[in-house]
Amino acid sequence: MDLALLRTFVTVHRAGSFTRAAALLGLSQPAVTSQIRTLERQLGRPLFLRQARGVTPTTIGDELAHKAAPHLDALVEIAETGLDEDSSIRTLHLAGPPEFTAERALPALTELTGDDGQGFALRASFGNAEETLEGLAAGHHDLAITTARPRGALLTATPLCDEEHVLVAAPRWAACVGPGKLRRKGAYALENFPVVEVHESLPLVARYWASVFDSRPAAAGTVVVPDLRAVLACATAGAGIAVLPRYLCAAALERGDVVALLDPAVPPLRTYFLVVRTGTLAMPHIARAHEWLLRAAVDWS
């Protein structure tokens, strides 16, 4: 069986579309379509069902992808690494949200980058859950951390840890509303407060409001910055109230830079998942990083 055909097939399987696969491979869409048809003729079975938007793998297509993909990934890595004296050093490509990856995952994984004979080089990239999972499926990453559990059998997700969310504000804002007032009036007590968030849709505030107050936030974002560390800095400076992961604002809370406005009996939680392409945990460097992060996460929750 032609390895080039298998590579094209795996790329289509991961991308879910001939068009996206063609872009990833640097080929024309007709060339990708032709290669898939050739492989289907060789196997005597259809590998994909054509849909209005993209393609869906058949049962045979899924089985072939799960058997072939890990081996193709290994061959690609050998080709990229070369066979020189440093070929034993593998590179782990990690992707995830910038704050959690920087504050949690990277400090833990850097312990595995030493020259003990089992170490690896580490490359990290940041993105939202959708971007990260697409990159993982396309083979751009080896290991991903996301707040979304992927569907389908191509990717395998393992719960990593839960993240507690805290409603915080600078002391001058906290003085305007106390826990008693919040318990009595709920979200209405915060209607006129400015809000600091990572997106115009107020994802963290909306989640907190729905969980704690059983309502939707009435205010729009006063300051919107696409990084939770910047949200913390703005909240500390008095720009408004914010919902932040406890791990990220714990030191600021301890110093009194910000104050927790409420301590609900059941705080809102968000789960992080550790995701790999199915079958790639057979690769020692990916398996070691995966296990190491799971162990480290025991102390994160």
Side-chain angles (χ1 to χ4, degrees):
M1 190 177 295
D2 190 335
L3 287 179
L5 297 183
L6 273 179
R7 179 170 179 251
T8 298
F9 159 73
V10 169
T11 304
V12 172
H13 188 275
R14 287 172 171 168
S17 144
F18 287 170
T19 302
R20 286 196 294 271
L24 291 169
L25 293 166
L27 300 174
S28 67
Q29 183 175 334
V32 169
T33 302
S34 175
Q35 289 187 25
I36 295 301
R37 285 176 178 167
T38 298
L39 186 58
E40 288 177 328
R41 284 197 300 270
Q42 291 179 1
L43 295 173
R45 305 287 290 274
L47 297 173
F48 296 104
L49 299 176
R50 279 65 170 176
Q51 308 288 346
R53 294 183 178 179
V55 294
T56 301
T58 62
T59 301
I60 296 299
D62 269 336
E63 290 178 0
L64 179 60
H66 297 154
K67 290 178 180 178
H71 302 290
L72 285 171
D73 288 338
L75 289 172
V76 168
E77 184 163 355
I78 290 172
E80 291 178 348
T81 304
L83 297 175
D84 56 23
E85 60 183 5
D86 293 325
S87 62
S88 61
I89 300 176
R90 310 293 290 270
T91 298
L92 179 80
H93 295 271
L94 174 72
E99 308 87 358
F100 188 89
T101 305
E103 299 289 331
R104 293 297 205 196
L106 288 176
L109 288 177
T110 50
E111 298 182 39
L112 300 182
T113 58
D115 55 358
D116 61 354
Q118 296 182 337
F120 49 73
L122 181 59
R123 301 289 183 271
S125 59
F126 301 143
N128 60 36
E130 182 179 0
E131 294 167 343
T132 297
L133 291 175
E134 284 184 356
L136 179 65
H140 300 317
H141 318 308
D142 300 314
L143 193 60
I145 299 170
T146 76
T147 54
R149 184 192 288 272
R151 297 180 179 179
L154 180 61
L155 302 178
T156 300
T158 304
L160 180 62
C161 66
D162 289 329
E163 170 187 270
E164 179 187 346
H165 286 177
V166 187
L167 178 62
V168 302
R172 73 181 182 89
W173 285 111
C176 299
V177 57
K181 185 176 180 180
L182 274 176
R183 292 191 186 96
R184 290 194 310 272
K185 301 187 65 175
Y188 293 108
L190 301 171
E191 276 191 342
N192 297 319
F193 280 53
V195 175
V196 187
E197 253 283 15
V198 294
H199 192 270
E200 298 286 355
S201 62
L202 308 184
L204 300 182
V205 169
R207 178 191 292 266
Y208 191 98
W209 258 234
S211 176
V212 176
F213 301 125
D214 193 24
S215 67
R216 296 181 179 181
T222 302
V223 177
V224 176
V225 284
D227 190 299
L228 287 173
R229 291 163 295 190
V231 170
L232 174 58
C234 292
T236 300
I241 61 174
V243 173
L244 290 166
R246 183 172 290 278
Y247 80 86
L248 193 62
C249 63
L253 286 168
E254 187 174 346
R255 292 191 303 266
D257 297 339
V258 292
V259 177
L261 299 181
L262 193 61
D263 185 19
V266 182
L269 299 176
R270 181 169 63 172
T271 300
Y272 282 96
F273 298 94
L274 199 54
V275 190
V276 297
R277 291 187 301 281
T278 301
T280 57
L281 285 179
M283 299 182 182
H285 69 305
I286 299 178
R288 190 178 183 209
H290 189 274
E291 181 183 1
W292 195 269
L293 284 174
L294 289 176
R295 288 181 180 179
V298 172
D299 298 324
W300 295 344
S301 298

